Amino acid sequence: MSVMQKIISCGTRLDAVTGPLTRLARCSRGIHLGSTDSAARKLIPNEYEEPLIRTSIPGPKSKELLKNLDNITKNTGGVQYFVDFKESLGNYIVDVDGNRFLDTFMQISSIPVGYNHPAVLDALRDPEYLHIMVNRPALGVYPGSSFPTSLDRALLSVAPKGLKHVQPMMCGACSNENAIKQALLWYRREKRGGDPPTQEELETCLHGQEPGCPPYTVLSFDGSFHGRTIGCLSMTHSKPVFRLDIPSMDWPCAPFPRLQYPLEDFEAENRAEEDRCLKEVARQIEESRAKTRDVAALIIEPIQGEGGDNHASSYFFNQLQKICKEHGVAFIVDEVQTGCCTTGHFWAHEAWNLPEPPDFVVFSKKMLTGGYYFKEEFAVDGPSKVFNTWMGDPPKLLMLAAVVDVIKKEGLLDLARESGQHLMDGLQDLQAKYPQHLSRARGMGTHAAIDSIDGDTAAKIVRMARDKGVIMGACGKQSIRFRPSLVFQPHHVDIAIDTFNDVLSQL
């Protein structure tokens, strides 16, 4: 079994690559796991001890604010409650009605070291950086003198091995958009042999016609999510709500493996499934080229998030990179959700042991700012080809630099592994105790999920857990997912698993 298979196997996880961790003592309830020594010290001073529910959810203040907001935006269907961010701390989010929740979802996986971490607050309070906060420069034209140093400290210091260049952006969607754009520019440059564009290309491109706009395509995967902008929607295949009524480009979509669990019981079947998907990737690339609709780039998530926390083995990703190399296709890894330690690796693709780095690695969410790392041969060959007004956000780099310092000083990468194992142990126990409700526990680090029997039951579980003071997420057709902060300790896991058990006992 490969390292990646061991990591995501139900029953054998990160201890397969980081050394064994002691199985933790159980309490009388049968699933609540005793905390390890690391839980004795709070990583966030004065963090709350437990959830506290004072009103129904949403409470009266949230309901009143919701009416006001709906009058303004007419787009409040997803709002659950309004947050008192001043009172939120560490792993706990507090709403305007005084309800306090243990947050294992963290603003859709985008808060790295919890709410109001002192180190991040201190970075923003420093008067030396006040001018950076009040001025938002057009970084592609007028960057401040501290910008190169900020990029080095915040982004290059944690760059994936072998990637020495980074392009900052604003969010995950625009990062994916521009990584794709840069890959397409590279592909066209390669096809021209380095020659400048012709006059005909310059004229026809303004009308979206060939040869100025070549019919190149980007291959993505069934179940994928890469953003909600028009270009990214053409590579997103996870939920109808994302794409319904929106025109999109006719780009190829390959199957992503659907593994059977526990992995050690289905090695042959899962290898056959991955080989089937790899064969289809190669077929689609070859078929597209035969139709003069070359696949210029392939984009993939290490773990499909919105599509249902779908995993694949290191074998699959190694073979995928090999196919891209053989066909001259850019290999883009979308680490918007998986980047920044959540999987027990700073970058999830590190677990694959690739012979060389991906061509692009895209980031956002827990990295606080958006952007992508890339190989030197993919650099743009002229100004304004990859460009927008801001191309990043300097205050976010200050925050990220503080976060990186905290990760190193507090050993949060190791904590993600420890808490991740603790979480998976708890999910396994729940799965064994409630087989009529749960199956397919899986994860890397604290980036974990488990399936319910159907979507309605998953939604009900998430809602009931919230009403008991624990925030969980949902994804795919019937999965419940966990995306806690990097300061999520084993004693926080205990609270989440105990609440999960209470919910299941009431179904």
Side-chain angles (χ1 to χ4, degrees):
M1 187 186 301
S2 71
V3 170
M4 184 65 163
Q5 285 175 315
K6 290 178 181 178
I7 289 172
I8 62 178
S9 171
C10 176
T12 309
R13 294 162 302 280
L14 280 164
D15 50 344
V17 290
T18 61
L21 293 173
T22 303
R23 181 76 177 179
L24 304 170
R26 303 177 185 278
C27 78
S28 58
R29 183 164 289 182
I31 51 82
H32 182 107
L33 303 179
S35 300
T36 62
D37 292 340
S38 67
R41 181 176 66 90
K42 287 185 177 181
L43 294 176
I44 305 295
N46 302 314
E47 188 183 39
Y48 303 109
E49 296 289 342
E50 60 187 0
L52 176 65
I53 300 301
R54 299 178 183 273
T55 72
S56 58
I57 314 298
K61 292 182 181 179
S62 277
K63 289 179 179 177
E64 185 62 31
L65 288 167
L66 187 62
K67 291 179 183 177
N68 296 340
L69 182 62
D70 192 62
N71 288 334
I72 297 169
T73 68
K74 294 299 178 185
N75 186 23
T76 58
V79 176
Q80 295 191 28
Y81 51 82
F82 283 76
V83 178
D84 185 341
F85 282 106
K86 185 176 180 180
E87 293 299 317
S88 300
L89 183 63
N91 291 281
Y92 288 90
I93 186 171
V94 179
D95 74 7
V96 293
D97 290 283
N99 298 300
R100 185 169 70 229
F101 309 89
L102 176 67
D103 192 351
T104 74
F105 197 44
M106 280 288 151
Q107 308 290 316
I108 320 176
S109 194
S110 62
I111 305 289
V113 289
Y115 296 103
N116 291 312
H117 194 286
V120 180
L121 293 175
D122 287 346
L124 295 179
R125 288 191 185 108
D126 192 332
E128 181 181 347
Y129 299 128
L130 186 61
H131 63 284
I132 294 177
M133 308 241 254
V134 300
N135 300 291
R136 195 174 187 187
L139 292 167
V141 184
Y142 310 109
S145 60
S146 63
F147 189 49
T149 301
S150 294
L151 288 174
D152 184 61
R153 183 183 172 200
L155 293 176
L156 292 183
S157 67
V158 294
K161 184 178 180 181
L163 297 181
K164 300 178 181 179
H165 304 284
V166 66
Q167 176 60 66
M169 281 289 164
M170 304 304 300
C171 67
C174 73
S175 299
N176 276 325
E177 289 273 359
N178 284 280
I180 288 293
K181 183 191 294 184
Q182 197 159 318
L184 291 168
L185 291 169
W186 161 81
Y187 192 84
R188 185 58 166 165
R189 187 172 68 235
E190 292 289 300
K191 290 296 182 181
R192 285 199 187 100
D195 294 335
T198 65
Q199 186 61 37
E200 184 183 13
E201 288 173 334
L202 294 173
E203 293 173 355
T204 55
C205 75
L206 296 177
H207 301 283
Q209 298 174 353
E210 297 184 54
C213 291
Y216 298 153
T217 66
V218 178
L219 188 145
S220 53
F221 289 82
D222 183 40
S224 61
F225 179 84
H226 299 291
R228 297 174 185 252
T229 52
I230 295 295
C232 286
L233 284 177
S234 296
M235 307 177 295
T236 290
H237 311 282
S238 46
K239 294 179 181 178
V241 67
F242 299 147
R243 294 192 59 163
L244 182 65
D245 299 331
I246 307 298
S248 65
M249 288 170 275
D250 183 20
W251 287 354
C253 173
F256 190 94
R258 295 298 185 264
L259 303 184
Q260 300 181 58
Y261 292 85
L263 296 182
E264 59 268 25
D265 292 346
F266 296 97
E267 289 189 32
E269 292 88 345
N270 288 338
R271 175 59 64 88
E273 167 68 359
E274 292 187 328
D275 284 338
R276 178 188 72 85
C277 295
L278 291 165
K279 183 178 180 180
E280 181 63 15
V281 168
R283 187 195 69 78
Q284 291 201 24
I285 291 174
E286 293 165 359
E287 183 179 277
S288 294
R289 182 164 296 168
K291 295 178 180 178
T292 66
R293 288 172 47 82
D294 295 16
V295 173
L298 176 151
I299 186 168
I300 194 166
E301 302 158 88
I303 301 169
Q304 288 189 332
E306 293 295 333
D309 266 40
N310 302 312
H311 293 253
S313 74
S314 57
Y315 162 81
F316 175 79
F317 291 107
N318 271 265
Q319 293 301 308
L320 201 61
Q321 184 184 52
K322 183 178 179 181
I323 291 171
C324 288
K325 295 292 290 185
E326 290 174 349
H327 293 277
V329 173
F331 182 42
I332 302 173
V333 178
D334 177 355
E335 292 240 29
V336 168
Q337 274 211 26
T338 54
C340 198
C341 301
T342 180
T343 64
H345 303 268
F346 201 101
W347 302 104
H349 75 266
E350 293 171 354
W352 306 341
N353 295 315
L354 297 173
E356 62 179 85
D359 299 319
F360 293 82
V361 174
V362 183
F363 59 85
S364 188
K365 288 194 179 287
K366 277 187 169 63
M367 292 290 283
L368 297 179
T369 187
Y372 51 91
Y373 299 96
F374 60 94
K375 291 179 178 175
E376 186 163 357
E377 59 262 36
F378 290 86
V380 292
D381 59 354
S384 300
K385 289 189 173 183
V386 171
F387 187 86
N388 60 45
T389 299
W390 291 311
M391 297 177 71
D393 190 350
K396 295 299 189 295
L397 293 177
L398 295 177
M399 295 168 63
L400 179 58
V403 167
V404 170
D405 287 343
V406 170
I407 289 171
K408 294 177 180 178
K409 290 177 182 177
E410 299 289 353
L412 298 188
L413 186 57
D414 289 335
L415 179 61
R417 295 168 178 161
E418 180 184 4
S419 294
Q421 168 130 4
H422 200 45
L423 176 59
M424 287 301 298
D425 285 342
L427 293 177
Q428 257 195 294
D429 290 340
L430 290 174
Q431 178 177 279
K433 186 175 181 180
Y434 301 100
Q436 72 276 29
H437 294 307
L438 299 177
S439 63
R440 301 182 74 243
R442 57 204 183 275
M444 289 179 65
T446 56
H447 195 106
I450 193 166
D451 280 4
S452 181
I453 55 174
D454 55 44
D456 289 342
T457 304
K460 183 177 182 180
I461 289 171
V462 170
R463 184 176 63 255
M464 291 176 66
R466 180 202 64 185
D467 292 346
K468 292 177 179 292
V470 174
I471 304 300
M472 302 174 182
C475 61
K477 294 181 179 180
Q478 59 203 63
S479 297
I480 299 162
R481 58 174 163 171
F482 298 84
R483 300 289 190 270
S485 75
L486 300 177
V487 293
F488 190 67
Q489 296 173 265
H491 67 274
H492 298 118
V493 175
D494 293 339
I495 294 171
I497 293 297
D498 208 21
T499 302
F500 203 167
N501 178 72
D502 288 345
V503 168
L504 292 167
S505 70
Q506 295 175 22
L507 289 181

